[in-house]
Amino acid sequence: MIACDVQINGVVQGVGFRPFVYGLAARFGLSGAIRNESAGVSIALEGDATAVQRFLHELSSNPPPLARLEQICCKPTEPRRRHGFEIAPSRSTATSPVVFIAPDVAICGECLKELFDPRNRRFGYAFLSCTQCGPRLTTIESLPYDRTRTAWRRFPICSECQGEYEDPNSRRFHDQSISCPRCGPRLTVLGPGGIPVDAPAGALSAAVATLRDGKIAAIKGLGGFHLACDAGNEGVVAELRLRKKRNAKPFAVMFENLHDVERTCVITAAEADLLVSSERPIVLLKKQTNHSSIATAVAPGNPSLGVMLPYTGLHYLLLRQFGRPLVMTSGNESEEPISYKTKDAITRLSGLADLFLTHDRPIQTQSDDSVLRVTGGKRLVLRRSRGYAPAAVRLPVSCRRNILALGGQLKATFALGRGENATLSHHIGDLDRYETFGEYARAIEHYERLFSFGADLFVHDLHPDYLSSRKALELAAERGKPSLAVQHHHAHLASCMAENGTRSPAIGVIFDGTGLGTDGTIWGGEFLLGDLHSFRRVAHLRRVPMPGGDQAIREPWRMAASYLRDGGEPTNAVNRRGDPKALSTIEQMLSKAVNCPLTSSCGRLLDAIASIIGLRDRTEFEGQPAIELEGLAMQSDDGAAYPFALSGDSPTEIDTRPMIAEVLREQSRGIALATIARRVHSTIVEIIVQTCQQLRSTYGVNSVVLSGGVFANGILAAGATERLRSSNFDVFTHSKVPPNDGGLCLGQVAIAAVADVS
Ligand code: ZN
Ligand code: ZN
Ligand code: FE
């Protein structure tokens, strides 16, 4: 007979861990108890020595599917001759070293069966879940994980649920989110302004009828409200664009099942796996050429479609009853944060939705749908949120203190660094919107409380005007703690190194939109030689002026004028469509160098090309010209590259003027735009490969890291990876966090972890 105390931390709460351990203890005939604590779980075990050993072996090698065990610490104790095994009440313990919270999990197969089984008592019940599925982050108020500290506390359980809760043979044994139609949350429908609506056939049917009528419904889901409408109805999708003030940015579509997706999109096995995974992200898929079931206004001029499958009971019921795919876009006006509080949603969305389908379970943390794509067989995260956040990313270094990294300005996320883990927040959005910044500040506070986290160091971008930088300095001053500024592209480099678990020096190819460089110019077409400690800028794209600064990001024709002028080309390619007066103003700005910051950004280069070939002169969202250029390039497989030149200086300058000249020549010769777009992509891949080869021979470094927002582009990411690998480089790319600014905070944590800050 032996006894021991086992402390486990990691993702061990909200994943069915206590009932699992209970079952395991019974199997090995052990007695004792398990309880949740603030930092994890503690198990008191007593029994036969070999049985204890086998128990521990089994637990660490085959834990419950959603669990992630970080540390198992076992201490021998005196046997107390306990009888049986029990699940003991939770204990709040003092500030703990590591806390993990499970992300939200899509409805599991067992619950789905119950949902559509007329004999089951949860038949047609929108909020069913079990220990293996359901909301977590979005319902948790504080730890340890118990119903009283979640959004479920408002729903006292009924006697039948109590019976299941106490039954070791039930899937809902000790399920903190147990509920049923008798005791759980309820659906209601409201009209604009929150006016009650008659729904004789039930709330769900009323919403479905509204959708069938070609109207728009706001639907409260897991992490916020969606705006939904019939994805096959051209008129209502156009109306949604009008109301949402969103002209072109694609809407996501929810299909009931894989089979329906296959009828509309080209789908690989890897993409199908991702769609059905328990994270249930939006996956960008290639549309089939005859995809008549989806209105063109859903993703105008875009060869891809953002697709997801239902992930809650409510979504399944909705899709099943409606019978056709639904547009499901976040419930906000263009670029505002997603609405997640019912009252607030009714205020903000009343002009947008004809009906609200809502419920009385509060959302504690907003969470947008995550967005991924598969490129070159590998997953690429474009937005890491629901299903993934707040799962921790393991760092290749250990944080000596608690680090709060505040990220960038666009696609904002933040990270808590503690020990060897970085906990990344959900996606919050672009901070230049007042509402978004408020949400960002609120989320930081919520996470600090949730994870019992007191920051000792605040990390931010080098750009002093990013609202995230200001927030970092404000928090640091308030709490009397140090802060650290990190160069934007160094953070991108470190982010990719960190998620790949590497820390040896590499060539960082950081192709991006914008970011302040150490020389005061705007970078974004950079080759950095460095590691987590430091970097050197060893090559970059040729710099050109950005007439009007940020205005040139919204108006790519300005960048086109700048590039044409830089190459000594006539600007009439821009003049042709634009306003001649505006063009002459820009030319004057350029010749006098007034309000013309210099940039080496690859994003701006792609913008200029999109404008030169007549694809787009004004943008509606970040990266739109590059996305459209990629869409065009997908229609061609001509891999020829245009000329460019590498200077012999240090840092190497990459001169793209020969490429621009050739684009103009081919365009005037009537070469298909798709071919030109493809060749531009091939040229950028060629620039990456040749520059890396030159840098390898100069510096003897063989590892290459690809990061920055431009690598959301599948042709560039897959093309550069493949060509570099065939030139025997070790290539590191992103698969856990976005290559864009959504992944910045991870790099900031990794850099701060090794920095000397007094
Ligand atoms: Zn389930
Ligand atoms: Zn119940
Ligand atoms: Fe960036």
Side-chain angles (χ1 to χ4, degrees), residues 522 541-547 559 562-564 566-567 590 596-601 604-605 656-657:
I522 295 158
L541 296 181
R542 181 180 164 83
R543 282 176 290 219
V544 296
M546 271 173 89
M559 288 314 300
S562 179
Y563 270 99
L564 291 172
D566 182 53
L590 286 166
C596 281
L598 290 176
T599 186
S600 51
S601 159
R604 296 297 83 75
L605 172 64
T656 52
R657 286 175 298 179

Side-chain angles (χ1 to χ4, degrees), residues 243-520:
R243 292 191 196 172
K244 223 176 122 91
K245 301 195 181 88
R246 180 155 140 174
N247 294 317
K249 197 174 180 180
F251 289 141
V253 176
M254 188 179 273
F255 288 76
E256 192 191 331
N257 53 48
L258 263 188
H259 181 73
D260 290 352
V261 178
E262 279 163 356
R263 286 197 302 213
T264 305
C265 296
V266 185
I267 173 170
T268 64
E271 288 163 339
D273 286 349
L274 210 45
L275 277 173
V276 303
S277 68
S278 64
E279 290 88 2
R280 292 286 156 92
I282 295 172
V283 182
L284 300 186
L285 300 175
K286 207 172 161 202
K287 286 180 203 160
Q288 283 181 17
T289 32
N290 53 342
H291 58 277
S292 53
S293 62
I294 302 297
T296 43
V298 170
N302 197 319
S304 306
L305 188 67
V307 168
M308 63 179 147
L309 295 178
Y311 50 85
T312 66
L314 175 60
H315 294 133
Y316 269 103
L317 294 170
L318 198 65
L319 267 291
R320 175 75 53 104
Q321 208 174 323
F322 184 67
R324 287 198 301 278
L326 284 173
V327 163
M328 286 288 241
T329 183
S330 35
N332 53 12
E333 208 172 85
S334 175
E335 306 307 315
E336 281 182 6
I338 186 168
S339 303
Y340 66 100
K341 295 198 164 118
T342 308
K343 248 184 159 166
D344 168 63
I346 288 168
T347 315
R348 283 168 56 197
L349 304 179
S350 276
L352 280 75
D354 300 303
L355 191 84
F356 289 82
L357 176 60
T358 179
H359 58 77
D360 51 356
R361 190 185 66 211
I363 297 173
Q364 299 302 334
T365 301
Q366 65 164 124
S367 193
D368 281 274
D369 297 314
S370 296
V371 184
L372 280 84
R373 72 188 294 185
V374 176
T375 163
K378 201 179 162 187
R379 67 179 55 182
L380 184 60
V381 184
L382 302 178
R383 187 205 281 159
R384 185 180 183 275
S385 208
R386 178 188 49 77
Y388 298 93
V393 178
R394 176 72 88 154
L395 297 165
V397 287
S398 185
C399 302
R400 277 166 293 178
R401 55 181 122 201
N402 287 354
I403 298 168
L404 177 57
L406 284 97
Q409 171 82 359
L410 302 176
K411 303 181 166 67
T413 55
F414 58 88
L416 315 179
R418 179 154 51 185
E420 289 177 345
N421 288 288
T423 296
L424 270 65
S425 76
H426 57 284
H427 161 90
I428 296 159
D430 297 350
L431 298 184
D432 39 15
R433 299 288 302 220
Y434 174 78
E435 299 81 356
T436 315
F437 184 72
E439 201 45 58
Y440 170 80
R442 203 198 66 87
I444 291 173
E445 266 177 44
H446 182 57
Y447 272 62
E448 282 188 304
R449 216 174 26 238
L450 207 50
F451 291 89
S452 321
F453 187 88
D456 301 316
L457 174 61
F458 295 87
V459 198
H460 60 92
D461 194 272
L462 189 59
H463 201 307
D465 296 331
Y466 280 5
L467 289 175
S468 52
S469 303
R470 292 196 197 159
K471 181 75 188 171
L473 294 172
E474 184 191 305
L475 287 171
E478 241 170 52
R479 304 194 197 164
K481 301 281 184 187
S483 64
L484 176 72
V486 172
Q487 199 280 323
H488 189 94
H489 302 100
H490 187 209
H492 276 305
L493 166 69
S495 170
C496 191
M497 290 178 72
E499 75 154 73
N500 282 288
T502 173
R503 47 182 306 188
S504 31
I507 300 166
V509 183
I510 318 298
F511 279 14
D512 203 22
T514 47
L516 182 62
T518 50
D519 59 357

Side-chain angles (χ1 to χ4, degrees), residues 520-522 543-552 558-559 561-562 565 585-600:
T521 69
I522 295 158
R543 282 176 290 219
V544 296
M546 271 173 89
D550 281 356
Q551 196 61 24
R558 291 178 181 232
M559 288 314 300
S562 179
R565 202 169 176 281
T585 310
I586 294 304
E587 290 197 298
Q588 273 178 34
M589 282 170 79
L590 286 166
S591 65
K592 291 185 191 147
V594 178
N595 194 11
C596 281
L598 290 176
T599 186
S600 51

Side-chain angles (χ1 to χ4, degrees), residues 2 24 28-30 45 47-57:
I2 63 156
L24 208 59
F28 290 107
L30 298 171
L45 275 183
D48 173 67
T50 46
V52 169
Q53 253 167 28
R54 282 168 60 208
F55 170 95
L56 290 172
H57 178 262

